[in-house]
Amino acid sequence: MDYTNILVRATNWVGDAVMSLPALRAIRERFPKARIAVLAKPAVADLYIHESFADEIILYNFQSSWAMGRELRKRQFDCAILLQNAFEAAWIAWLAKIPTRIGYKRDSRQLLLTRAVDVPKPGEIPRHERFYYLELLRRAGLIDALPASESIRMRRSGTAPVGRRVIGVSPGAAYGTAKRWLPERFAEAASALAEARGASIALFGTKSERALCEEIAQRLAGRDVINYAGETTLAQFIDLAAGCELFLTNDSGSMHIASALGVPTVAIFGATDDTTTGPTGLNARVVRQPVDCSPCLLRECPIDHRCMTRVSTERVVKEALQLLS
């Protein structure tokens, strides 16, 4: 069936939103003439401003799902594709009286969906999370097959200042401290790479990570360093990240953005699994030290954080320089 006015409910976390980009492009390819609107929380909406698959970005900033549903009802969508797994996403689409509502059969919401898709079982699809969103489309009959090995890409708009190289560093991680490499090693690696490349250093993070980035900035005294933590919008961060020569990061939303922009990205993994949520493409490298308890997927390490403390500064610097060469 051909739809002409499609609503796509975006995911709420930056990393998940980036990993769902191939699915959004697949929707546009399947419905090239349709009007496609993306409903997104303000925290992730800027991810889509330079992309061509969406005709409109609708901010989900209403105080209630009832109000959001009423607003969407006015737009007379004929199909809703729910990339978000929550009950609320289906509830809003039902309130908006969208006749076709497609989503995974999760969170007790199947009665609100007109096409409730079974969640893939382990081993049924490739491990990386981008295929989870693509599989929803395949099982719903919107695409014929999963792409063989499509990497995630975002459109670039930012460029590096003329004659200036920038090393981007994102030392935080929203999920918890278990995902974080040591701040002193981020500082050591950034300093060594800045020295080798004749580059300045840009630190990125949220408002809550301002102190973490300031600690690293202090360790980089004498270097050309700017601490952007808590001072940029998502759109501004995307532009600044796109202008970096190299990006050092943990498993984070920043990692997903930098690697999707095609920026050479070195990501340190420990508590989480890079085969499911790692960066994609030829310009990304994962550094991890295999230990028996990793990946544990815990927010905080209950023992000695060995998956991160055993990743040396020298190893990260070597990986970064090899990537740049």
Side-chain angles (χ1 to χ4, degrees):
M1 183 174 180
D2 283 333
Y3 301 107
T4 61
N5 193 15
I6 300 171
L7 177 72
V8 180
R9 176 66 168 94
T11 60
N12 288 345
W13 295 94
V14 170
D16 293 340
V18 174
M19 289 187 285
S20 70
L21 290 175
L24 282 156
R25 292 200 177 89
I27 294 169
R28 169 54 71 196
E29 290 173 7
R30 172 63 179 81
F31 302 102
K33 296 182 180 179
R35 177 169 180 80
I36 298 175
V38 176
L39 175 62
K41 291 285 185 73
V44 301
D46 284 347
L47 280 173
Y48 310 111
I49 57 177
H50 298 303
E51 304 296 335
S52 59
F53 49 68
D55 297 295
E56 181 184 10
I57 301 166
I58 303 173
L59 290 182
Y60 183 7
N61 53 10
F62 284 75
Q63 292 185 343
S64 73
S65 53
W66 290 94
M68 188 78 251
R70 285 196 299 270
E71 177 62 27
L72 294 176
R73 193 182 311 165
K74 301 174 186 176
R75 299 170 184 258
Q76 298 184 323
F77 291 105
D78 54 10
C79 177
I81 301 172
L82 311 179
L83 300 182
Q84 190 202 19
N85 293 318
F87 178 90
E88 182 196 45
W91 174 238
I92 289 172
W94 184 85
L95 290 172
K97 296 186 177 180
I98 302 173
T100 299
R101 302 180 297 278
I102 300 168
Y104 275 126
K105 192 185 299 182
R106 296 188 59 163
D107 210 27
S108 303
R109 65 184 189 169
Q110 54 264 35
L111 293 179
L112 296 172
L113 301 172
T114 60
R115 201 173 302 172
V117 175
D118 288 332
V119 177
K121 296 177 182 177
E124 287 186 340
I125 59 174
R127 287 177 59 82
H128 198 274
E129 192 172 327
R130 69 186 186 276
F131 294 107
Y132 174 81
Y133 302 107
L134 288 162
E135 179 69 359
L136 171 65
L137 306 182
R138 192 193 70 79
R139 294 191 178 198
L142 301 183
I143 61 175
D144 294 329
L146 299 180
S149 59
E150 181 183 344
S151 59
I152 302 170
R153 285 289 172 262
M154 291 176 61
R155 288 193 171 188
R156 298 178 66 140
S157 61
T159 56
V162 176
R164 187 180 184 212
R165 292 175 168 177
V166 180
I167 307 294
V169 179
S170 181
Y175 184 78
T177 61
K179 294 171 65 173
R180 294 181 181 179
W181 197 38
L182 283 64
E184 60 268 26
R185 295 190 189 173
F186 267 116
E188 292 166 358
S191 181
L193 289 165
E195 177 70 23
R197 304 295 296 178
S200 61
I201 300 166
L203 300 171
F204 298 103
T206 62
K207 288 181 180 179
S208 64
E209 294 162 349
R210 178 76 187 182
L212 171 65
C213 290
E214 189 57 40
E215 176 188 345
I216 294 172
Q218 291 174 4
R219 293 177 180 272
L220 289 167
R223 292 285 179 199
D224 181 6
V225 57
I226 300 177
N227 184 2
Y228 288 108
E231 295 184 355
T232 64
T233 64
L234 180 57
Q236 290 168 336
F237 166 72
I238 292 170
D239 287 344
L240 289 167
C244 290
E245 179 187 58
L246 175 75
F247 209 89
L248 299 181
T249 177
N250 301 307
D251 175 15
S252 65
S254 298
M255 175 203 72
H256 287 290
I257 290 172
S259 62
L261 290 167
V263 175
T265 301
V266 177
I268 301 97
F269 269 73
T272 49
D273 188 349
D274 60 281
T275 66
T276 59
T277 61
T280 65
L282 298 177
N283 279 343
R285 297 287 187 275
V286 169
V287 177
R288 72 177 310 140
Q289 178 61 40
V291 294
D292 291 341
C293 52
S294 173
C296 65
L297 306 182
L298 297 176
R299 289 180 179 269
E300 311 295 335
C301 179
I303 50 174
D304 56 8
H305 211 195
R306 62 190 64 176
C307 62
M308 285 300 191
T309 59
R310 295 183 186 180
V311 175
S312 69
T313 300
E314 293 75 18
R315 183 178 170 193
V316 170
V317 170
K318 180 180 179 181
E319 196 73 44
L321 291 175
Q322 288 178 345
L323 180 59
L324 290 174
S325 65

